[in-house]
Amino acid sequence: MSKIPMRRIVVDEQTYLWRRRHHHAESPEGAMCEEILTLYAQGFGKSALRLVFKGDAEWGAGDFDAGVIYARHGTLSYNLNRPAVVAALIRYMLQQGWLPQRERTPRIEAQAIPLLELSRAPLERVSVRRS
């Protein structure tokens, strides 16, 4: 498996590096899809923020399109490949106390789907209803 390259984004005059990857996690119900967004302030990789988006009853995670968190009963989705979504999450996590230049260990959010709405990340409408 090849390493996914980091992408650059500038948010409020600070450069961050980020990548998104699709993952299958084992659960009692079988393999579950999840999307993982890893980001850090440039030069501060040890204080990475890892946001794990696990599919649940309301939202699916990348089953159809890698990087897309989609409403299971509707046509709304969040696209983790879009810089606007990543920027909203960065700003929100900074407001919640993430200190990417000071922390010495990675921070992990094990279920980050609620952060999408809280961060006011831009929603998209998909043309196909998924259930």
Side-chain angles (χ1 to χ4, degrees):
M1 179 165 74
S2 64
K3 182 117 171 129
I4 300 168
M6 300 297 285
R7 296 174 64 183
R8 277 180 35 119
I9 186 170
V10 178
V11 176
D12 301 330
E13 300 181 24
Q14 170 67 52
T15 300
Y16 296 87
L17 299 174
W18 64 284
R19 76 172 153 241
R20 187 231 25 101
R21 68 183 178 93
H22 187 78
H23 182 256
H24 294 125
E26 292 300 321
S27 74
E29 296 84 30
M32 300 292 291
C33 289
E34 53 187 34
E35 294 292 329
I36 300 172
L37 183 65
T38 302
L39 50 97
Y40 57 87
Q42 188 169 12
F44 296 92
K46 291 185 179 184
S47 63
L49 175 62
R50 182 167 294 130
L51 303 176
V52 181
F53 300 87
K54 298 178 182 181
D56 60 20
E58 299 294 319
W59 294 93
D63 296 338
F64 299 97
D65 299 309
V68 176
I69 308 302
Y70 61 92
R72 289 198 186 274
H73 308 289
T75 59
L76 297 177
S77 68
Y78 296 96
N79 188 337
L80 299 176
N81 298 299
R82 290 189 56 211
V85 172
V86 174
L89 288 165
I90 289 171
R91 286 186 180 106
Y92 179 76
M93 293 307 294
L94 290 168
Q95 291 171 357
Q96 299 308 304
W98 178 45
L99 302 169
Q101 290 93 348
R102 293 192 199 147
E103 295 179 17
R104 299 284 182 236
T105 57
R107 179 185 287 203
I108 300 171
E109 295 289 333
Q111 177 47 297
I113 286 178
L115 301 179
L116 292 163
E117 183 177 357
L118 292 169
S119 71
R120 297 186 176 158
L123 276 164
E124 296 178 353
R125 292 214 180 266
V126 293
S127 59
V128 178
R129 185 182 174 115
R130 298 176 176 139
S131 55

